[in-house]
Amino acid sequence: MKTLGTASAAPGEFDTGRLQVGETRDGSEFGLPVAVLNGADDGPTLYVQAVSDGDELNGLGVLRRAIPQISPAAFSGTILAVGIVNYHAFQVAEHRNPIDDTKMNRTYPGSESGTSSERIAAATFEAASRADYILDLHQGSTSRMLNEARVRCGRRHRLHDDCLELAKVFGCGHVLDQKGPDGQLARVGPDEGIPAIDPELGGAIGWDEESIRYGVDGLFNVLRYYGFLDGSVDPDPQIRASGFDRYGSPSGGLVDFQVALGDPVDPGDVLFEVTDPFGQLKAEVTADDSGVFWRSRRLPQVATGEYVCSVGTNVSEY
């Protein structure tokens, strides 16, 4: 039997349940929705989670679409899945956990006696630590973003090559290879000897169907490449950036982008212009380095110093 919370599946079976992690403000118990898919044959274990940030729903879209397509009878190994990690933020469609005003993906490996976010992190990390591979499905919140996979362990980490391989197999086309902040699951997982990535599946308010398709394809690439499912995968070359330049607005106004996501940029190329409400040019911002236009804000209005866009730098192909 393989279990996660109240979900329990014998070989060749699938089950769903709840992972209890605390009580709400009225004293009612709450649990995260979880699933266990236990293959008919022995094999590795994949841990996959979504909605670590409460407004990032594309990963949930991936699980909702992909899991019903997998037959336990034709599967080797186990999938442990948490559909909604940031329970409280999901309920109110916010990015951070409103109970402790914390970004969940800064709290791993968590604490069983800590804050709300730390307790959820501890419960989910216990499941993740039983796996051979970890996928933490994210998206660019409300920003526009390339479909990418992020390798967060750092280039000197002993599992760096394994994480790069996992990102290549997932196959979004773009990889950000940059050490992540403390507390990210994709950084903590490799410290426990488990290759981990956090695919950033575009950016949207609600569902983004194209990004969900990327995620479904990526999940099945991983399942076939690592022997969970029959079939072969020949990973495509990925565009890798190991740096990230962020640009803010030098003045308040309305933004007009002069490049599109995925476009190559060179130093001096105009990234965006800022105008007043009547179309009069107030500012023009150019690229500092060569790279790929990676991420941009969705809303056009900006204040002085407000975030506008990012360029992936130190770009190569692998």
Side-chain angles (χ1 to χ4, degrees), residues 148-155 160 163-164 174-180 239-243 294 318:
E148 55 159 319
R150 294 192 168 187
V151 173
R152 300 309 245 163
C153 62
R155 282 170 282 173
H160 180 245
C163 293
L164 274 181
H174 292 82
V175 173
L176 180 64
D177 180 15
Q178 187 181 59
K179 190 173 184 178
I239 297 172
R240 175 174 59 165
S242 57
W294 206 271
Y318 82 102

Side-chain angles (χ1 to χ4, degrees), residues 227-305:
F228 295 88
L229 290 172
D230 289 340
S232 61
V233 176
D234 185 13
D236 292 327
Q238 302 292 293
I239 297 172
R240 175 174 59 165
S242 57
F244 216 43
D245 287 347
R246 293 169 57 90
Y247 295 86
S249 180
S251 60
L254 302 167
V255 171
D256 283 322
F257 290 105
Q258 304 300 302
V259 288
L261 291 177
D263 283 353
V265 299
D266 292 313
D269 286 353
V270 178
L271 300 177
F272 63 91
E273 298 175 344
V274 183
T275 72
D276 69 12
F278 307 104
Q280 302 303 300
L281 183 65
K282 297 183 67 177
E284 188 177 75
V285 173
T286 60
D288 296 327
D289 303 297
S290 297
V292 174
F293 194 65
W294 206 271
R295 182 174 184 168
S296 65
R297 67 181 289 108
R298 184 172 295 276
L299 296 174
Q301 64 268 37
V302 291
T304 302

Side-chain angles (χ1 to χ4, degrees), residues 75-92:
F75 194 80
S76 299
T78 305
I79 295 177
L80 304 175
V82 180
I84 299 168
V85 173
N86 200 337
Y87 174 91
H88 299 290
F90 176 81
Q91 302 301 322
V92 293

Side-chain angles (χ1 to χ4, degrees), residues 5-233:
T6 62
S8 183
E13 293 184 353
F14 171 76
D15 193 26
T16 62
R18 292 275 168 171
L19 178 62
Q20 301 298 325
V21 288
E23 297 181 349
T24 62
R25 287 168 172 164
D26 67 359
S28 303
E29 287 191 350
F30 77 91
L32 314 180
V34 298
V36 176
L37 191 151
N38 190 0
D41 297 318
D42 291 338
T45 297
L46 173 69
Y47 174 81
V48 56
Q49 69 175 31
V51 198
S52 175
D53 300 306
D55 58 352
E56 298 188 3
L57 304 182
N58 285 338
L60 179 58
V62 171
L63 295 179
R64 187 180 71 139
R65 186 164 301 169
I67 294 297
Q69 299 181 42
I70 303 171
S71 169
F75 194 80
S76 299
T78 305
I79 295 177
L80 304 175
V82 180
I84 299 168
V85 173
N86 200 337
Y87 174 91
H88 299 290
F90 176 81
Q91 302 301 322
V92 293
E94 293 181 0
H95 191 74
R96 300 163 71 91
N97 182 346
I99 302 300
D100 53 19
D101 191 31
T102 297
K103 183 173 172 66
M104 181 71 65
N105 201 29
R106 299 293 186 273
T107 61
Y108 283 93
S111 169
E112 293 181 354
S113 59
T115 66
S116 171
S117 295
E118 289 171 340
R119 290 169 187 251
I120 293 172
T124 53
F125 189 67
E126 187 281 326
S129 65
R130 292 187 260 145
D132 298 289
Y133 308 97
I134 294 172
L135 299 179
D136 184 12
L137 303 178
H138 286 263
Q139 70 185 59
S141 190
T142 57
S143 297
R144 294 185 175 94
M145 182 184 282
L146 293 170
N147 292 290
E148 55 159 319
R150 294 192 168 187
V151 173
R152 300 309 245 163
C153 62
R155 282 170 282 173
R156 296 182 180 180
H157 198 283
R158 68 187 188 280
L159 289 191
H160 180 245
D161 288 347
D162 298 294
C163 293
L164 274 181
E165 180 181 49
L166 182 57
K168 186 173 185 176
V169 170
F170 195 87
C172 279
H174 292 82
V175 173
L176 180 64
D177 180 15
Q178 187 181 59
K179 190 173 184 178
D182 290 341
Q184 287 193 325
L185 178 57
R187 182 171 169 185
V188 175
D191 289 344
E192 296 297 315
I194 308 167
I197 59 172
D198 58 4
E200 294 272 358
L201 301 172
I205 299 173
W207 304 121
D208 178 75
E209 290 297 330
E210 179 185 18
S211 295
I212 290 171
R213 286 195 298 272
Y214 268 95
V216 171
D217 290 344
L219 177 58
F220 277 101
N221 284 345
V222 168
L223 294 177
R224 293 188 178 103
Y225 186 86
Y226 291 102
F228 295 88
L229 290 172
D230 289 340
S232 61
V233 176

